[in-house]
Amino acid sequence: MNISKHEMSLSTPKENFYNITSSVRQIVSESGVKNGIAVVFCPHTTAGITINENADPDVIPDMLLGLSKAYPDRAEFRHGEGNSAAHLKATAVGSGVTIIIADGKPVLGTWQGIYFCEFDAPRNRRYFVQVMGH
């Protein structure tokens, strides 16, 4: 079994979903793995990783709006840093995704992209991609 781990850096100037699909595709391609899985993981508590539509540019603002409505800042939050809403959004989105690799490529639907989700910008972030398989 072939295993490769990569740490990637990302600057996030504002709350947004940052498309990392091309970097994940490149890592998978360079790994030499033809069949296996790739795990994309975010080690931050106010950011996450998701897979969603990358064709219609209105999807991302709609998702950000929906998350802000579902998890608004509240005066009664007790967390001293004042970013409890960002923690809630990150928990809802999740910290990672697993992607199947077939024929040396990530298996994604026609409209799917992989996103780093920033909820507490501006930040300098990192995420990990681990590729495993044959």
Side-chain angles (χ1 to χ4, degrees):
M1 176 172 296
N2 183 8
I3 299 175
S4 65
K5 177 182 166 191
H6 302 268
E7 180 176 343
M8 306 299 290
S9 297
L10 181 66
S11 178
T12 58
K14 65 179 188 169
E15 181 174 352
N16 206 351
F17 283 30
Y18 295 88
N19 192 332
I20 60 172
T21 309
S22 62
S23 69
V24 173
R25 285 186 197 278
Q26 182 176 348
I27 289 167
V28 168
S29 176
E30 291 173 0
S31 75
V33 170
K34 297 299 177 197
N35 295 291
I37 60 170
V39 176
V40 184
F41 175 73
C42 169
H44 304 287
T45 61
T46 57
I49 303 287
T50 195
I51 295 175
N52 213 298
E53 182 172 334
N54 70 354
D56 181 347
D58 290 330
V59 171
I60 298 306
D62 288 351
M63 290 180 65
L64 288 166
L65 176 64
L67 286 166
S68 291
K69 294 243 181 222
Y71 304 103
D73 275 328
R74 296 182 177 273
E76 61 266 30
F77 284 153
R78 296 169 30 174
H79 182 44
E81 289 182 58
N83 60 356
S84 290
H87 287 285
L88 289 164
K89 292 172 189 176
T91 296
V93 167
S95 59
V97 296
T98 302
I99 304 152
I100 295 169
I101 300 168
D103 298 322
K105 298 176 186 169
V107 176
L108 293 169
T110 302
W111 311 115
Q112 288 183 318
I114 307 162
Y115 290 93
F116 184 96
C117 308
E118 176 60 71
F119 301 115
D120 195 25
R123 300 280 182 168
N124 289 315
R125 300 291 200 173
R126 60 195 175 117
Y127 63 94
F128 295 92
V129 180
Q130 184 158 318
V131 181
M132 300 162 279
H134 302 284

